[in-house]
């Protein structure tokens, strides 16, 4: 189903975004931008605000400060469902598949949720299932899948929403080596073939370095570095975050 | 090679459920008066639990208020089928604006459908609230609906006769008519489960936020299921009125709610088959316990009153402990051969995935 679509290039942009819980600034003044066809990595240590940033962009959390825009459309106070309809689609850290539905039903429900009719939803779901190699599991309940297959099912479900921007929260967690390699290839494919912007939150640095065009590094809810992967890995602040201060 | 499970296999479930209803109807039509009465109440209960399951099974949201729809159905049927001259006597004090009700009359089958529609209207009015709630909030809100409807029916004496009985309803509910409505309810409920709205609602049952993140309008689909289930429960109330010929408001309160909840919980509140199996199993069990209490199996010596209810409560507790999702869980009835092949397929899949980590879901 990896058909290229002639869509106008889009930009998903958060400017000065922040979320505060009772005075605690979980994310503070973060500006991040993803363009169509680009894979942006969002990295940082545990608790640095990566998932919170993704929650802000997807609409699961309302921003306490800043704005979120998709091209000219202001998403800042828009519901998650409306953002999905505009093409801003996310996955979750733990997969969160519809456990007692089959893999096909998982993907089909998302295609229906994006507004397709029954027949088109079924065809789209079948195509995505084939594309991601889920065909042998199509009629199995999602609760019976392995961790890796659950993550792939969650990605398939997100693709069924026909995303313009795909926000992936640790998709490589629980994947074995061959699945991770295949995942890297798939994520690059989503960006190139579907002209889809991807924001990738990931701990596995090998996956991040091989997949991303641009990196954004967070620590304690604030941006500490951003740029091309090769530059970011040499940035002293990033080295300090990941390896500690050199004395 | 076929990629997906075929729809003909999926059609097994409604056929088997109808067969279970047919068995109940055959028992009712051929057995004596007492068993016939039990079979009839079972068939009417089947329409009710299928109705409630249309909402609870697909949404995963428990309701304690569906008996209110049954009550609306029963009272509507009473108004539509009690002979007009008798209504003139029974409802002499109707408010001026409702005087026309004393003169309306309808044949039974249209009356059943209109009773379902009356319940549907109540479902329509309450849907915006129910669609926004889940978990404990939903339990309390639906119970509140039951209490509100009960109190209105109990207090609006000029229209509902309050705590006095509604009498003079012609006996129109026959075993085969009740069975026909069981068939219709199974078809409607199964069609909804397999519909676009049904699938999206089941997705929200599994994970609310993941469903919203997939673009599912959870509230809208909950409202659709709620309204549909209101209609079916209204129909069951109508059939109940046409069977009993007289009833009062207490027939539609806590004890009925408890009885139907036991059926749905024992069978499995997440599946249509669970509701149907639960209704049949609990009806049979109740009749067995009643006979046990009356001394039929103990040489004529009656056991203490209330023992039947106590044993039923014990069965409910055991099921809740041993199988929290009921006898059926989320499964639907299928022919045994299919289930075996499903298990073999699952085992094959598990063997193929050996060595990989299984994720907590």
């Amino acid at each position: 189903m990896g058909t290229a679509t002639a869509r106008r290039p889009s930009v998903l942009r958060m400017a000065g975004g922040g979320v505060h819980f009772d005075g605690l600034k979980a994310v503070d003044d973060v500006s991040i931008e993803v363009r169509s066809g680009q894979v942006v990595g969002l990295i940082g240590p545990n608790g640095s605000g990566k998932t919170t940033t993704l929650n802000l962009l997807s609409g699961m959390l309302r921003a306490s400060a800043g704005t979120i825009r998709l091209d000219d459309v202001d998403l800042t106070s828009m519901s998650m469902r409306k953002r999905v309809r505009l093409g801003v689609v996310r996955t979750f850290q733990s997969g969160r598949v519809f456990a007692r539905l089959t893999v096909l039903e998982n993907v089909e429900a998302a295609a229906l949720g994006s507004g397709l009719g029954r027949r088109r939803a079924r065809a789209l779901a079948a195509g995505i299932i084939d594309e991601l190699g889920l065909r042998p599991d199509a009629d199995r309940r999602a609760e019976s899948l392995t961790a890796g297959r659950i993550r792939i099912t969650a990605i398939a479900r997100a693709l069924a929403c026909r995303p313009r921007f795909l926000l992936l929260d640790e998709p490589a967690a629980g994947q074995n080596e061959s699945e991770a390699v295949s995942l890297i290839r798939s994520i690059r494919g989503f960006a190139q073939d579907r002209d889809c912007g991807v924001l990738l939150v990931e701990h596995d640095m090998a996956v991040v370095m091989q997949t991303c065009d641009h990196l954004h590094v967070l620590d304690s809810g604030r941006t500490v570095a951003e740029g091309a992967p090769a530059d970011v890995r040499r940035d002293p602040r990033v080295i300090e975050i990941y390896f500690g201060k050199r004395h | 090679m076929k990629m997906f499970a075929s729809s003909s296999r999926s059609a097994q479930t409604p056929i088997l459920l109808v067969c279970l209803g047919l068995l109940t109807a055959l028992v009712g039509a051929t057995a004596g008066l007492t068993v016939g009465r039990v079979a009839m109440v079972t068939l009417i209960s089947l329409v009710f639990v299928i109705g409630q399951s249309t909402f609870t099974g697909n949404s995963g949201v428990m309701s304690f208020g569906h008996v209110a729809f049954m009550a609306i159905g029963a009272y509507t049927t009473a108004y539509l089928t009690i002979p007009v001259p008798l209504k003139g006597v029974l409802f002499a004090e109707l408010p001026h604006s409702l005087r026309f009700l004393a003169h309306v009359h309808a044949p039974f089958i249209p009356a059943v459908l209109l009773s379902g529609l009356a319940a549907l209207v109540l479902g329509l009015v309450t849907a915006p609230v129910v669609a926004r709630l889940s978990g404990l909030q939903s339990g309390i809100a639906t119970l509140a609906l039951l209490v509100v409807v009960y109190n209105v029916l109990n207090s609006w004496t000029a229209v509902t006769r309050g705590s006095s009985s509604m009498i003079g309803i012609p006996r129109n509910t026959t075993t085969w008519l009740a069975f026909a409505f069981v068939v219709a309810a199974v078809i409607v409920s199964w069609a909804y489960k397999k519909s676009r709205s049904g699938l999206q609602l089941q997705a929200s049952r599994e994970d609310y936020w993941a469903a919203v993140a997939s673009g599912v309008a959870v509230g809208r689909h909950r409202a659709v299921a709620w309204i549909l289930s209101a209609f079916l429960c209204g129909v069951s109330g109508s059939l109940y009125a046409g069977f009993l010929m007289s009833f009062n408001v207490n027939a539609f309160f806590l004890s009925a709610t408890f009885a139907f909840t036991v059926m749905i919980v024992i069978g499995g509140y997440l599946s249509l088959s669970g509701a149907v199996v639960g209704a049949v199993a609990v009806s049979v069990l109740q009749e067995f316990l009643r006979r046990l209490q009356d001394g039929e199996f103990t040489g004529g010596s009656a056991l203490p009153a209330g023992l039947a209810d106590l044993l039923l409560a014990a069965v409910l507790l055991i099921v809740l402990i041993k199988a929290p999702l009921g006898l059926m869980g989320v499964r639907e009835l299928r022919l045994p051969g299919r289930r075996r092949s499903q298990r073999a397929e699952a085992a094959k899949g598990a063997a193929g995935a050996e060595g990989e980590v299984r994720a907590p879901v």
Side-chain angles (χ1 to χ4, degrees):
Chain A
M1 293 288 287
T3 49
T5 47
R7 279 198 297 223
R8 190 165 60 90
S10 292
V11 186
L12 177 66
R13 181 182 291 130
M14 180 163 82
V19 61
H20 311 154
F21 303 113
D22 293 330
L24 171 76
K25 293 181 175 178
V27 170
D28 184 29
D29 195 23
V30 170
S31 296
I32 193 164
E33 189 178 287
V34 188
R35 292 177 176 275
S36 300
Q38 190 185 27
V39 182
V40 175
L42 185 60
I43 61 171
N46 283 334
S48 58
K50 304 183 295 293
T51 295
T52 308
T53 302
L54 203 139
N55 286 344
L56 280 176
L57 285 164
S58 66
M60 199 160 173
L61 275 178
R62 289 288 156 90
S64 314
T67 56
I68 300 162
R69 300 184 77 86
L70 173 61
D71 298 329
D72 299 330
V73 182
D74 188 357
L75 307 182
T76 314
S77 54
M78 193 179 276
S79 72
M80 178 147 79
R81 190 176 155 261
K82 283 185 181 160
R83 292 186 203 198
V84 172
R85 288 288 177 114
L86 289 175
V88 180
V89 183
R90 68 168 297 169
T91 65
F92 294 90
Q93 218 172 72
S94 53
R96 294 183 77 157
V97 287
F98 306 131
R100 290 170 294 199
L101 301 187
T102 65
V103 169
L104 174 65
E105 286 169 338
N106 263 268
V107 184
E108 194 182 347
L112 292 170
S114 76
L116 287 182
R118 194 69 195 254
R119 197 170 295 176
R120 286 183 65 200
R122 172 69 63 120
L124 177 65
I128 291 170
I129 280 173
D130 268 348
E131 182 186 350
L132 296 190
L134 285 167
R135 188 174 176 145
D137 297 323
D139 285 329
R140 290 179 64 185
R141 277 200 194 147
E143 65 188 350
S144 69
L145 301 176
T146 60
R149 305 294 275 175
I150 282 177
R151 289 295 198 291
I152 296 170
T153 302
I155 292 170
R157 195 175 62 188
L159 290 179
C161 295
R162 296 171 292 160
R164 292 162 71 190
F165 289 93
L166 194 52
L167 317 176
L168 300 175
D169 200 352
E170 298 193 22
Q175 308 264 13
N176 61 35
E177 203 173 319
S178 70
E179 284 173 335
V181 169
S182 160
L183 181 74
I184 292 166
R185 208 175 300 133
S186 296
I187 293 172
R188 293 284 345 158
F190 304 151
Q192 284 157 10
D193 302 341
R194 295 168 192 265
D195 202 22
C196 173
V198 179
L199 180 66
L200 177 67
V201 171
E202 186 52 63
H203 273 298
D204 186 331
M205 292 310 286
V207 171
V208 170
M209 290 299 167
Q210 289 176 66
T211 315
C212 298
D213 305 308
H214 188 90
L215 287 185
H216 198 106
V217 189
L218 291 180
D219 187 31
S220 304
R222 297 184 70 94
T223 301
V224 290
E226 65 172 312
D231 299 334
V232 166
R233 75 195 304 177
R234 285 194 298 268
D235 190 303
R237 290 167 300 178
V238 177
I239 293 167
E240 186 186 321
I241 288 168
Y242 278 95
F243 302 106
K245 251 183 183 167
R246 287 179 182 170
H247 296 285
Chain B
M1 189 181 94
K2 267 196 170 176
M3 181 175 174
F4 306 122
S6 73
S7 57
S8 64
R9 280 203 297 261
S10 152
Q12 280 182 8
T13 302
I15 292 169
L16 288 171
L17 296 180
V18 166
C19 287
L20 210 51
L22 179 64
L23 192 66
T24 310
L26 282 171
V27 169
T30 53
L33 196 64
T34 311
V35 173
R37 199 177 161 81
V38 171
M40 179 70 95
V41 172
T42 305
L43 289 170
I44 295 168
S45 300
L46 280 174
V47 177
F48 180 90
V49 296
I50 290 167
Q52 180 163 343
S53 173
T54 305
F55 176 71
T56 56
N58 292 304
S59 69
V61 177
M62 196 55 189
S63 163
F64 300 108
H66 273 70
V67 166
F69 298 125
M70 192 182 190
I72 298 297
Y75 276 86
T76 307
T77 293
Y79 261 98
L80 290 173
T81 59
I82 293 174
V84 172
L86 179 59
K87 271 199 284 189
V89 179
L90 292 176
F91 306 111
E93 291 171 16
L94 270 178
H96 186 73
S97 57
L98 297 175
R99 288 264 163 84
F100 71 94
L101 289 175
H103 305 289
V104 293
H105 195 269
F108 189 60
I109 292 188
V112 173
L113 298 175
L114 286 169
S115 302
L117 283 177
L120 182 148
V121 170
L122 178 63
L124 207 60
V125 171
T126 50
V129 177
V130 175
R132 287 173 168 78
L133 303 174
S134 53
L136 189 59
Q137 298 163 317
S138 172
I140 299 292
T142 52
L143 192 60
L145 170 68
L146 177 72
V147 173
V148 167
V149 169
Y150 173 80
N151 277 307
V152 169
L153 293 174
N154 198 27
S155 308
W156 203 10
T157 314
V159 178
T160 64
R161 291 176 49 80
S163 58
S164 302
S165 291
M166 277 282 193
I167 56 170
I169 305 160
R171 178 149 195 190
N172 284 311
T173 305
T174 63
T175 303
W176 293 110
L177 184 69
F179 170 67
F181 276 102
V182 169
V183 175
V186 166
I187 292 170
V188 168
S189 187
W190 189 255
Y192 177 74
K193 186 183 166 106
K194 293 292 166 190
S195 71
R196 291 182 61 189
S197 176
L199 180 58
Q200 291 177 80
L201 188 58
Q202 288 158 54
S204 77
R205 174 191 75 193
E206 295 301 309
D207 191 316
Y208 176 87
W209 281 111
V212 175
S214 301
V216 173
V218 178
R220 188 193 307 158
H221 299 301
R222 272 189 193 162
V224 170
W226 174 258
I227 291 165
L228 198 57
S229 74
F231 176 79
L232 292 174
C233 290
V235 166
S236 78
S238 174
L239 294 171
Y240 197 50
F243 167 63
L244 288 180
M245 298 190 292
S246 76
F247 62 83
N248 79 0
V249 67
N250 292 319
F252 305 104
F253 200 40
L254 294 177
S255 59
T257 299
F258 179 72
F260 290 129
T261 303
V262 168
M263 289 176 182
I264 288 175
V265 169
I266 285 183
Y269 80 101
L270 293 177
S271 88
L272 180 60
S273 303
V276 171
V277 168
V280 173
V282 170
S283 299
V284 170
L285 183 65
Q286 272 175 327
E287 180 59 12
F288 171 77
L289 293 174
R290 187 189 64 76
R291 289 173 181 231
L292 180 71
Q293 187 175 286
D294 292 348
E296 206 166 301
F297 309 124
T298 51
S301 56
L303 298 172
L307 184 76
D309 288 341
L310 201 67
L311 288 174
L312 187 63
V315 170
L316 177 63
L317 284 175
I318 291 167
V319 170
L320 282 173
I321 292 166
K322 293 287 181 191
L325 292 180
L327 298 173
M328 296 298 296
V330 288
R331 284 169 301 158
E332 298 291 356
L333 279 181
R334 292 272 166 87
L335 289 174
R338 170 65 187 152
R339 283 215 298 274
R340 270 201 299 274
S341 72
Q342 269 180 336
R343 277 199 294 271
E345 204 177 289
K348 206 169 131 192
E354 208 177 345
E356 289 185 75
V357 186
R358 210 169 233 221
V361 179

